[in-house]
Amino acid sequence: PHLLLSSLDLFKVTGQQRYLDCARGSIQKILASQTPDGRMQGAFGGYGQWEAGSLAVFALTYPQDPLVPQIRQALTDYTTFCLSTANNPFGLSKESVGEKEYFFHPSANMGVNFLYLGRAWAAGLVYRLNGDIRALRFATEQMDWVMGKNPFGLCQVEGVGSYNPHWYHHRYDSIPGHKRGAVPGAVPNGYVVNLAGLDAPGFDMTYPGTGQRDHPSYRTSEPWLVHNMHYLLALCALSPTRPPAE
């Protein structure tokens, strides 16, 4: 997917046909990698949000390309897969490991807000391409989880919503008078498996200055630009000024 997106950018800048040919070659490889059957039917690899998003970018940019009908069908199948992972009251996509699914993978070293936001980005683009309301609903559910529709009612975009993390694992928390370490707009790593090791949401909700620790857990509370990058991508994909393609 990264080669595909890079090739499209290079073609846009240089106009050299070889880059567009490279993009088409990447598309064919991505399409061939889609799981044809079984529990992962419709996925690309372990899930496939970046593959799906890059396919949608190409199809929206070059709607008359002969590969677009294949892309549309592949992304319809991908949307069906996404919904199969989100059959829960929050509509949150789960992690697939072998034949099991987890809300919070027990071996995950940190929260994965970038995954939810990346899936929102891809699904938003799929909606713009196919007009599939299922994709729009899935995208907004992933965004809603990060923005506060979760068990703690925690908005994970600093300075937005009514309830943010109490403090952040950030160098700024060492600045006198700035103990929270809060950076406006920062998105932390997010929920992980709870302290009991159960597949239930865990987040470091301690307050600064109330214990022996100098910082909250990086696993949940460290901001990361990758989360913000996908947050911005998702916002752009879901912009109401961008209707589905005709």
Side-chain angles (χ1 to χ4, degrees), residues 90 92-95 97 101-108 110-113 116 145 150-151 190-194 197-202 219:
F90 293 102
L92 182 68
S93 57
K94 294 186 285 186
E95 303 302 307
V97 182
E101 286 186 335
Y102 300 90
F103 284 103
F104 312 101
H105 190 285
S107 66
M110 62 184 187
V112 291
N113 278 336
Y116 305 134
W145 172 270
N150 52 64
Y191 287 95
V192 296
V193 63
N194 70 11
L198 301 175
D199 190 17
R219 298 182 67 216

PDB file of all heavy atoms in Angstrom, residues 90 92-95 97 101-108 110-113 116 145 150-151 190-194 197-202 219:
ATOM      1  N   PHE A  90     -20.220  -1.544  20.901  1.00  0.00           N
ATOM      2  CA  PHE A  90     -19.455  -0.357  20.549  1.00  0.00           C
ATOM      3  C   PHE A  90     -19.164  -0.283  19.047  1.00  0.00           C
ATOM      4  O   PHE A  90     -18.704   0.751  18.563  1.00  0.00           O
ATOM      5  CB  PHE A  90     -18.129  -0.322  21.315  1.00  0.00           C
ATOM      6  CG  PHE A  90     -18.293  -0.126  22.787  1.00  0.00           C
ATOM      7  CD1 PHE A  90     -18.169  -1.193  23.656  1.00  0.00           C
ATOM      8  CD2 PHE A  90     -18.588   1.123  23.313  1.00  0.00           C
ATOM      9  CE1 PHE A  90     -18.318  -1.025  25.021  1.00  0.00           C
ATOM     10  CE2 PHE A  90     -18.747   1.312  24.685  1.00  0.00           C
ATOM     11  CZ  PHE A  90     -18.617   0.229  25.541  1.00  0.00           C
ATOM     12  N   LEU A  92     -16.755  -1.736  17.739  1.00  0.00           N
ATOM     13  CA  LEU A  92     -15.293  -1.638  17.697  1.00  0.00           C
ATOM     14  C   LEU A  92     -14.701  -2.866  17.014  1.00  0.00           C
ATOM     15  O   LEU A  92     -15.055  -4.002  17.336  1.00  0.00           O
ATOM     16  CB  LEU A  92     -14.736  -1.526  19.113  1.00  0.00           C
ATOM     17  CG  LEU A  92     -13.223  -1.373  19.226  1.00  0.00           C
ATOM     18  CD1 LEU A  92     -12.785  -0.018  18.687  1.00  0.00           C
ATOM     19  CD2 LEU A  92     -12.765  -1.537  20.675  1.00  0.00           C
ATOM     20  N   SER A  93     -13.789  -2.635  16.083  1.00  0.00           N
ATOM     21  CA  SER A  93     -13.136  -3.751  15.400  1.00  0.00           C
ATOM     22  C   SER A  93     -12.197  -4.470  16.351  1.00  0.00           C
ATOM     23  O   SER A  93     -11.462  -3.847  17.116  1.00  0.00           O
ATOM     24  CB  SER A  93     -12.358  -3.240  14.181  1.00  0.00           C
ATOM     25  OG  SER A  93     -11.411  -2.259  14.570  1.00  0.00           O
ATOM     26  N   LYS A  94     -12.254  -5.793  16.310  1.00  0.00           N
ATOM     27  CA  LYS A  94     -11.419  -6.613  17.184  1.00  0.00           C
ATOM     28  C   LYS A  94     -10.179  -7.095  16.439  1.00  0.00           C
ATOM     29  O   LYS A  94     -10.096  -7.013  15.215  1.00  0.00           O
ATOM     30  CB  LYS A  94     -12.232  -7.788  17.718  1.00  0.00           C
ATOM     31  CG  LYS A  94     -13.364  -7.359  18.645  1.00  0.00           C
ATOM     32  CD  LYS A  94     -14.072  -8.534  19.290  1.00  0.00           C
ATOM     33  CE  LYS A  94     -14.977  -9.251  18.323  1.00  0.00           C
ATOM     34  NZ  LYS A  94     -15.769 -10.303  18.985  1.00  0.00           N
ATOM     35  N   GLU A  95      -9.216  -7.590  17.216  1.00  0.00           N
ATOM     36  CA  GLU A  95      -7.969  -8.086  16.658  1.00  0.00           C
ATOM     37  C   GLU A  95      -8.079  -9.583  16.419  1.00  0.00           C
ATOM     38  O   GLU A  95      -8.494 -10.329  17.315  1.00  0.00           O
ATOM     39  CB  GLU A  95      -6.807  -7.794  17.611  1.00  0.00           C
ATOM     40  CG  GLU A  95      -6.651  -6.327  17.960  1.00  0.00           C
ATOM     41  CD  GLU A  95      -6.453  -5.475  16.730  1.00  0.00           C
ATOM     42  OE1 GLU A  95      -5.559  -5.774  15.933  1.00  0.00           O
ATOM     43  OE2 GLU A  95      -7.218  -4.509  16.549  1.00  0.00           O
ATOM     44  N   VAL A  97      -6.352 -13.162  15.836  1.00  0.00           N
ATOM     45  CA  VAL A  97      -5.125 -13.918  16.044  1.00  0.00           C
ATOM     46  C   VAL A  97      -5.460 -15.385  15.857  1.00  0.00           C
ATOM     47  O   VAL A  97      -6.110 -15.999  16.709  1.00  0.00           O
ATOM     48  CB  VAL A  97      -4.525 -13.679  17.446  1.00  0.00           C
ATOM     49  CG1 VAL A  97      -3.221 -14.454  17.600  1.00  0.00           C
ATOM     50  CG2 VAL A  97      -4.302 -12.204  17.690  1.00  0.00           C
ATOM     51  N   GLU A 101     -10.429 -13.955  18.386  1.00  0.00           N
ATOM     52  CA  GLU A 101     -10.517 -12.501  18.280  1.00  0.00           C
ATOM     53  C   GLU A 101     -10.438 -11.891  19.673  1.00  0.00           C
ATOM     54  O   GLU A 101     -10.978 -12.443  20.634  1.00  0.00           O
ATOM     55  CB  GLU A 101     -11.824 -12.076  17.611  1.00  0.00           C
ATOM     56  CG  GLU A 101     -11.873 -12.326  16.124  1.00  0.00           C
ATOM     57  CD  GLU A 101     -13.119 -11.760  15.494  1.00  0.00           C
ATOM     58  OE1 GLU A 101     -14.137 -11.611  16.203  1.00  0.00           O
ATOM     59  OE2 GLU A 101     -13.085 -11.457  14.298  1.00  0.00           O
ATOM     60  N   TYR A 102      -9.760 -10.766  19.760  1.00  0.00           N
ATOM     61  CA  TYR A 102      -9.618 -10.065  21.030  1.00  0.00           C
ATOM     62  C   TYR A 102      -9.994  -8.606  20.839  1.00  0.00           C
ATOM     63  O   TYR A 102      -9.682  -8.011  19.807  1.00  0.00           O
ATOM     64  CB  TYR A 102      -8.172 -10.111  21.526  1.00  0.00           C
ATOM     65  CG  TYR A 102      -7.605 -11.486  21.772  1.00  0.00           C
ATOM     66  CD1 TYR A 102      -6.951 -12.175  20.758  1.00  0.00           C
ATOM     67  CD2 TYR A 102      -7.703 -12.080  23.032  1.00  0.00           C
ATOM     68  CE1 TYR A 102      -6.409 -13.431  20.986  1.00  0.00           C
ATOM     69  CE2 TYR A 102      -7.165 -13.335  23.274  1.00  0.00           C
ATOM     70  CZ  TYR A 102      -6.520 -14.007  22.252  1.00  0.00           C
ATOM     71  OH  TYR A 102      -5.991 -15.251  22.474  1.00  0.00           O
ATOM     72  N   PHE A 103     -10.599  -8.015  21.865  1.00  0.00           N
ATOM     73  CA  PHE A 103     -10.724  -6.568  21.875  1.00  0.00           C
ATOM     74  C   PHE A 103      -9.343  -5.951  22.094  1.00  0.00           C
ATOM     75  O   PHE A 103      -8.969  -4.992  21.430  1.00  0.00           O
ATOM     76  CB  PHE A 103     -11.667  -6.113  22.989  1.00  0.00           C
ATOM     77  CG  PHE A 103     -13.119  -6.331  22.680  1.00  0.00           C
ATOM     78  CD1 PHE A 103     -13.824  -7.384  23.243  1.00  0.00           C
ATOM     79  CD2 PHE A 103     -13.784  -5.479  21.811  1.00  0.00           C
ATOM     80  CE1 PHE A 103     -15.164  -7.580  22.954  1.00  0.00           C
ATOM     81  CE2 PHE A 103     -15.133  -5.666  21.515  1.00  0.00           C
ATOM     82  CZ  PHE A 103     -15.814  -6.724  22.090  1.00  0.00           C
ATOM     83  N   PHE A 104      -8.612  -6.532  23.036  1.00  0.00           N
ATOM     84  CA  PHE A 104      -7.294  -6.005  23.394  1.00  0.00           C
ATOM     85  C   PHE A 104      -6.334  -7.185  23.454  1.00  0.00           C
ATOM     86  O   PHE A 104      -6.393  -7.988  24.382  1.00  0.00           O
ATOM     87  CB  PHE A 104      -7.351  -5.262  24.732  1.00  0.00           C
ATOM     88  CG  PHE A 104      -8.499  -4.302  24.809  1.00  0.00           C
ATOM     89  CD1 PHE A 104      -9.655  -4.633  25.488  1.00  0.00           C
ATOM     90  CD2 PHE A 104      -8.438  -3.078  24.161  1.00  0.00           C
ATOM     91  CE1 PHE A 104     -10.725  -3.764  25.537  1.00  0.00           C
ATOM     92  CE2 PHE A 104      -9.504  -2.204  24.194  1.00  0.00           C
ATOM     93  CZ  PHE A 104     -10.648  -2.542  24.885  1.00  0.00           C
ATOM     94  N   HIS A 105      -5.487  -7.290  22.464  1.00  0.00           N
ATOM     95  CA  HIS A 105      -4.615  -8.449  22.357  1.00  0.00           C
ATOM     96  C   HIS A 105      -3.744  -8.564  23.612  1.00  0.00           C
ATOM     97  O   HIS A 105      -3.108  -7.585  24.022  1.00  0.00           O
ATOM     98  CB  HIS A 105      -3.732  -8.333  21.105  1.00  0.00           C
ATOM     99  CG  HIS A 105      -2.995  -9.581  20.795  1.00  0.00           C
ATOM    100  ND1 HIS A 105      -1.899  -9.989  21.513  1.00  0.00           N
ATOM    101  CD2 HIS A 105      -3.205 -10.537  19.866  1.00  0.00           C
ATOM    102  CE1 HIS A 105      -1.453 -11.134  21.035  1.00  0.00           C
ATOM    103  NE2 HIS A 105      -2.234 -11.484  20.045  1.00  0.00           N
ATOM    104  N   PRO A 106      -3.692  -9.741  24.234  1.00  0.00           N
ATOM    105  CA  PRO A 106      -2.964  -9.871  25.503  1.00  0.00           C
ATOM    106  C   PRO A 106      -1.469  -9.598  25.407  1.00  0.00           C
ATOM    107  O   PRO A 106      -0.841  -9.254  26.411  1.00  0.00           O
ATOM    108  CB  PRO A 106      -3.232 -11.327  25.917  1.00  0.00           C
ATOM    109  CG  PRO A 106      -3.646 -12.020  24.664  1.00  0.00           C
ATOM    110  CD  PRO A 106      -4.354 -10.996  23.845  1.00  0.00           C
ATOM    111  N   SER A 107      -0.887  -9.725  24.226  1.00  0.00           N
ATOM    112  CA  SER A 107       0.552  -9.478  24.094  1.00  0.00           C
ATOM    113  C   SER A 107       0.873  -8.098  23.541  1.00  0.00           C
ATOM    114  O   SER A 107       2.036  -7.768  23.319  1.00  0.00           O
ATOM    115  CB  SER A 107       1.191 -10.547  23.189  1.00  0.00           C
ATOM    116  OG  SER A 107       0.709 -10.435  21.863  1.00  0.00           O
ATOM    117  N   ALA A 108      -0.169  -7.266  23.314  1.00  0.00           N
ATOM    118  CA  ALA A 108       0.066  -5.919  22.773  1.00  0.00           C
ATOM    119  C   ALA A 108       0.847  -5.088  23.774  1.00  0.00           C
ATOM    120  O   ALA A 108       0.501  -5.032  24.960  1.00  0.00           O
ATOM    121  CB  ALA A 108      -1.254  -5.245  22.431  1.00  0.00           C
ATOM    122  N   MET A 110       1.212  -1.857  23.697  1.00  0.00           N
ATOM    123  CA  MET A 110       0.613  -0.543  23.924  1.00  0.00           C
ATOM    124  C   MET A 110      -0.719  -0.485  23.194  1.00  0.00           C
ATOM    125  O   MET A 110      -1.063  -1.364  22.403  1.00  0.00           O
ATOM    126  CB  MET A 110       1.533   0.564  23.411  1.00  0.00           C
ATOM    127  CG  MET A 110       1.795   0.527  21.932  1.00  0.00           C
ATOM    128  SD  MET A 110       2.978   1.795  21.426  1.00  0.00           S
ATOM    129  CE  MET A 110       2.882   1.623  19.635  1.00  0.00           C
ATOM    130  N   GLY A 111      -1.492   0.572  23.481  1.00  0.00           N
ATOM    131  CA  GLY A 111      -2.766   0.771  22.819  1.00  0.00           C
ATOM    132  C   GLY A 111      -2.603   1.010  21.326  1.00  0.00           C
ATOM    133  O   GLY A 111      -1.539   1.412  20.855  1.00  0.00           O
ATOM    134  N   VAL A 112      -3.674   0.770  20.602  1.00  0.00           N
ATOM    135  CA  VAL A 112      -3.580   0.783  19.137  1.00  0.00           C
ATOM    136  C   VAL A 112      -4.581   1.762  18.522  1.00  0.00           C
ATOM    137  O   VAL A 112      -5.278   1.438  17.563  1.00  0.00           O
ATOM    138  CB  VAL A 112      -3.771  -0.636  18.555  1.00  0.00           C
ATOM    139  CG1 VAL A 112      -2.597  -1.521  18.915  1.00  0.00           C
ATOM    140  CG2 VAL A 112      -5.081  -1.267  19.045  1.00  0.00           C
ATOM    141  N   ASN A 113      -4.642   2.969  19.056  1.00  0.00           N
ATOM    142  CA  ASN A 113      -5.562   3.943  18.475  1.00  0.00           C
ATOM    143  C   ASN A 113      -5.290   4.186  16.997  1.00  0.00           C
ATOM    144  O   ASN A 113      -6.212   4.483  16.232  1.00  0.00           O
ATOM    145  CB  ASN A 113      -5.483   5.263  19.242  1.00  0.00           C
ATOM    146  CG  ASN A 113      -6.328   5.250  20.502  1.00  0.00           C
ATOM    147  OD1 ASN A 113      -7.288   4.484  20.603  1.00  0.00           O
ATOM    148  ND2 ASN A 113      -5.987   6.088  21.469  1.00  0.00           N
ATOM    149  N   TYR A 116      -7.465   1.778  14.934  1.00  0.00           N
ATOM    150  CA  TYR A 116      -8.868   2.173  14.822  1.00  0.00           C
ATOM    151  C   TYR A 116      -9.027   3.362  13.884  1.00  0.00           C
ATOM    152  O   TYR A 116      -9.931   3.395  13.041  1.00  0.00           O
ATOM    153  CB  TYR A 116      -9.425   2.541  16.199  1.00  0.00           C
ATOM    154  CG  TYR A 116      -9.276   1.463  17.239  1.00  0.00           C
ATOM    155  CD1 TYR A 116      -8.815   1.768  18.516  1.00  0.00           C
ATOM    156  CD2 TYR A 116      -9.590   0.135  16.959  1.00  0.00           C
ATOM    157  CE1 TYR A 116      -8.669   0.787  19.484  1.00  0.00           C
ATOM    158  CE2 TYR A 116      -9.451  -0.852  17.924  1.00  0.00           C
ATOM    159  CZ  TYR A 116      -8.974  -0.520  19.185  1.00  0.00           C
ATOM    160  OH  TYR A 116      -8.829  -1.496  20.141  1.00  0.00           O
ATOM    161  N   TRP A 145     -15.114   5.557  19.221  1.00  0.00           N
ATOM    162  CA  TRP A 145     -14.393   4.901  20.311  1.00  0.00           C
ATOM    163  C   TRP A 145     -13.268   5.802  20.823  1.00  0.00           C
ATOM    164  O   TRP A 145     -13.110   6.001  22.028  1.00  0.00           O
ATOM    165  CB  TRP A 145     -13.832   3.567  19.843  1.00  0.00           C
ATOM    166  CG  TRP A 145     -12.917   2.911  20.841  1.00  0.00           C
ATOM    167  CD1 TRP A 145     -11.563   3.057  20.949  1.00  0.00           C
ATOM    168  CD2 TRP A 145     -13.301   2.023  21.901  1.00  0.00           C
ATOM    169  NE1 TRP A 145     -11.066   2.321  21.996  1.00  0.00           N
ATOM    170  CE2 TRP A 145     -12.108   1.682  22.601  1.00  0.00           C
ATOM    171  CE3 TRP A 145     -14.514   1.486  22.323  1.00  0.00           C
ATOM    172  CZ2 TRP A 145     -12.113   0.810  23.695  1.00  0.00           C
ATOM    173  CZ3 TRP A 145     -14.515   0.619  23.420  1.00  0.00           C
ATOM    174  CH2 TRP A 145     -13.338   0.300  24.084  1.00  0.00           C
ATOM    175  N   ASN A 150     -16.655   4.843  24.810  1.00  0.00           N
ATOM    176  CA  ASN A 150     -15.939   3.688  25.330  1.00  0.00           C
ATOM    177  C   ASN A 150     -16.299   3.535  26.808  1.00  0.00           C
ATOM    178  O   ASN A 150     -16.958   4.412  27.378  1.00  0.00           O
ATOM    179  CB  ASN A 150     -14.426   3.855  25.113  1.00  0.00           C
ATOM    180  CG  ASN A 150     -13.886   5.168  25.635  1.00  0.00           C
ATOM    181  OD1 ASN A 150     -13.931   5.429  26.829  1.00  0.00           O
ATOM    182  ND2 ASN A 150     -13.374   6.015  24.735  1.00  0.00           N
ATOM    183  N   PRO A 151     -15.922   2.447  27.452  1.00  0.00           N
ATOM    184  CA  PRO A 151     -16.404   2.176  28.814  1.00  0.00           C
ATOM    185  C   PRO A 151     -16.087   3.245  29.848  1.00  0.00           C
ATOM    186  O   PRO A 151     -16.818   3.396  30.832  1.00  0.00           O
ATOM    187  CB  PRO A 151     -15.715   0.855  29.169  1.00  0.00           C
ATOM    188  CG  PRO A 151     -15.543   0.170  27.860  1.00  0.00           C
ATOM    189  CD  PRO A 151     -15.218   1.265  26.897  1.00  0.00           C
ATOM    190  N   GLY A 190      -3.822   4.603  23.996  1.00  0.00           N
ATOM    191  CA  GLY A 190      -5.171   4.095  24.169  1.00  0.00           C
ATOM    192  C   GLY A 190      -5.265   2.852  25.023  1.00  0.00           C
ATOM    193  O   GLY A 190      -4.313   2.435  25.679  1.00  0.00           O
ATOM    194  N   TYR A 191      -6.428   2.251  25.001  1.00  0.00           N
ATOM    195  CA  TYR A 191      -6.742   1.124  25.870  1.00  0.00           C
ATOM    196  C   TYR A 191      -5.879  -0.104  25.563  1.00  0.00           C
ATOM    197  O   TYR A 191      -5.554  -0.387  24.407  1.00  0.00           O
ATOM    198  CB  TYR A 191      -8.207   0.738  25.716  1.00  0.00           C
ATOM    199  CG  TYR A 191      -9.171   1.703  26.340  1.00  0.00           C
ATOM    200  CD1 TYR A 191      -9.752   2.716  25.583  1.00  0.00           C
ATOM    201  CD2 TYR A 191      -9.518   1.604  27.677  1.00  0.00           C
ATOM    202  CE1 TYR A 191     -10.658   3.600  26.146  1.00  0.00           C
ATOM    203  CE2 TYR A 191     -10.428   2.480  28.257  1.00  0.00           C
ATOM    204  CZ  TYR A 191     -10.989   3.476  27.482  1.00  0.00           C
ATOM    205  OH  TYR A 191     -11.880   4.354  28.046  1.00  0.00           O
ATOM    206  N   VAL A 192      -5.563  -0.835  26.626  1.00  0.00           N
ATOM    207  CA  VAL A 192      -4.906  -2.130  26.529  1.00  0.00           C
ATOM    208  C   VAL A 192      -5.675  -3.105  27.410  1.00  0.00           C
ATOM    209  O   VAL A 192      -6.615  -2.728  28.110  1.00  0.00           O
ATOM    210  CB  VAL A 192      -3.427  -2.055  26.977  1.00  0.00           C
ATOM    211  CG1 VAL A 192      -2.622  -1.160  26.043  1.00  0.00           C
ATOM    212  CG2 VAL A 192      -3.314  -1.569  28.424  1.00  0.00           C
ATOM    213  N   VAL A 193      -5.258  -4.376  27.401  1.00  0.00           N
ATOM    214  CA  VAL A 193      -5.869  -5.365  28.283  1.00  0.00           C
ATOM    215  C   VAL A 193      -5.690  -4.916  29.734  1.00  0.00           C
ATOM    216  O   VAL A 193      -4.675  -4.316  30.100  1.00  0.00           O
ATOM    217  CB  VAL A 193      -5.233  -6.753  28.035  1.00  0.00           C
ATOM    218  CG1 VAL A 193      -3.755  -6.752  28.382  1.00  0.00           C
ATOM    219  CG2 VAL A 193      -5.970  -7.831  28.811  1.00  0.00           C
ATOM    220  N   ASN A 194      -6.688  -5.173  30.585  1.00  0.00           N
ATOM    221  CA  ASN A 194      -6.638  -4.630  31.942  1.00  0.00           C
ATOM    222  C   ASN A 194      -5.594  -5.340  32.809  1.00  0.00           C
ATOM    223  O   ASN A 194      -4.982  -6.332  32.401  1.00  0.00           O
ATOM    224  CB  ASN A 194      -8.027  -4.650  32.592  1.00  0.00           C
ATOM    225  CG  ASN A 194      -8.504  -6.057  32.921  1.00  0.00           C
ATOM    226  OD1 ASN A 194      -7.764  -7.033  32.865  1.00  0.00           O
ATOM    227  ND2 ASN A 194      -9.773  -6.158  33.282  1.00  0.00           N
ATOM    228  N   GLY A 197      -5.348  -9.017  33.274  1.00  0.00           N
ATOM    229  CA  GLY A 197      -5.055  -9.840  32.108  1.00  0.00           C
ATOM    230  C   GLY A 197      -6.288 -10.297  31.364  1.00  0.00           C
ATOM    231  O   GLY A 197      -6.204 -11.162  30.485  1.00  0.00           O
ATOM    232  N   LEU A 198      -7.440  -9.720  31.693  1.00  0.00           N
ATOM    233  CA  LEU A 198      -8.681 -10.087  31.027  1.00  0.00           C
ATOM    234  C   LEU A 198      -8.847  -9.261  29.750  1.00  0.00           C
ATOM    235  O   LEU A 198      -8.273  -8.178  29.621  1.00  0.00           O
ATOM    236  CB  LEU A 198      -9.875  -9.838  31.954  1.00  0.00           C
ATOM    237  CG  LEU A 198      -9.856 -10.589  33.291  1.00  0.00           C
ATOM    238  CD1 LEU A 198     -11.033 -10.152  34.161  1.00  0.00           C
ATOM    239  CD2 LEU A 198      -9.885 -12.098  33.066  1.00  0.00           C
ATOM    240  N   ASP A 199      -9.630  -9.767  28.820  1.00  0.00           N
ATOM    241  CA  ASP A 199      -9.871  -9.026  27.582  1.00  0.00           C
ATOM    242  C   ASP A 199     -10.903  -7.935  27.855  1.00  0.00           C
ATOM    243  O   ASP A 199     -12.035  -7.974  27.377  1.00  0.00           O
ATOM    244  CB  ASP A 199     -10.352  -9.977  26.483  1.00  0.00           C
ATOM    245  CG  ASP A 199     -10.377  -9.303  25.112  1.00  0.00           C
ATOM    246  OD1 ASP A 199      -9.730  -8.250  24.959  1.00  0.00           O
ATOM    247  OD2 ASP A 199     -11.039  -9.849  24.207  1.00  0.00           O
ATOM    248  N   ALA A 200     -10.499  -6.983  28.662  1.00  0.00           N
ATOM    249  CA  ALA A 200     -11.351  -5.870  29.077  1.00  0.00           C
ATOM    250  C   ALA A 200     -10.499  -4.604  29.062  1.00  0.00           C
ATOM    251  O   ALA A 200      -9.279  -4.674  29.200  1.00  0.00           O
ATOM    252  CB  ALA A 200     -11.909  -6.130  30.481  1.00  0.00           C
ATOM    253  N   PRO A 201     -11.123  -3.430  28.887  1.00  0.00           N
ATOM    254  CA  PRO A 201     -10.341  -2.202  28.709  1.00  0.00           C
ATOM    255  C   PRO A 201      -9.567  -1.786  29.946  1.00  0.00           C
ATOM    256  O   PRO A 201     -10.107  -1.720  31.048  1.00  0.00           O
ATOM    257  CB  PRO A 201     -11.402  -1.167  28.335  1.00  0.00           C
ATOM    258  CG  PRO A 201     -12.670  -1.697  28.924  1.00  0.00           C
ATOM    259  CD  PRO A 201     -12.571  -3.175  28.809  1.00  0.00           C
ATOM    260  N   GLY A 202      -8.283  -1.495  29.739  1.00  0.00           N
ATOM    261  CA  GLY A 202      -7.452  -0.951  30.805  1.00  0.00           C
ATOM    262  C   GLY A 202      -6.821   0.355  30.350  1.00  0.00           C
ATOM    263  O   GLY A 202      -6.363   0.464  29.215  1.00  0.00           O
ATOM    264  N   ARG A 219       2.149   2.587  27.980  1.00  0.00           N
ATOM    265  CA  ARG A 219       1.310   1.666  27.197  1.00  0.00           C
ATOM    266  C   ARG A 219      -0.016   2.302  26.823  1.00  0.00           C
ATOM    267  O   ARG A 219      -0.556   2.059  25.736  1.00  0.00           O
ATOM    268  CB  ARG A 219       1.079   0.371  27.968  1.00  0.00           C
ATOM    269  CG  ARG A 219       2.344  -0.420  28.259  1.00  0.00           C
ATOM    270  CD  ARG A 219       2.020  -1.710  28.970  1.00  0.00           C
ATOM    271  NE  ARG A 219       1.276  -2.608  28.103  1.00  0.00           N
ATOM    272  CZ  ARG A 219       0.307  -3.422  28.532  1.00  0.00           C
ATOM    273  NH1 ARG A 219      -0.052  -3.414  29.812  1.00  0.00           N
ATOM    274  NH2 ARG A 219      -0.313  -4.227  27.684  1.00  0.00           N
TER     275      ARG A 219
END
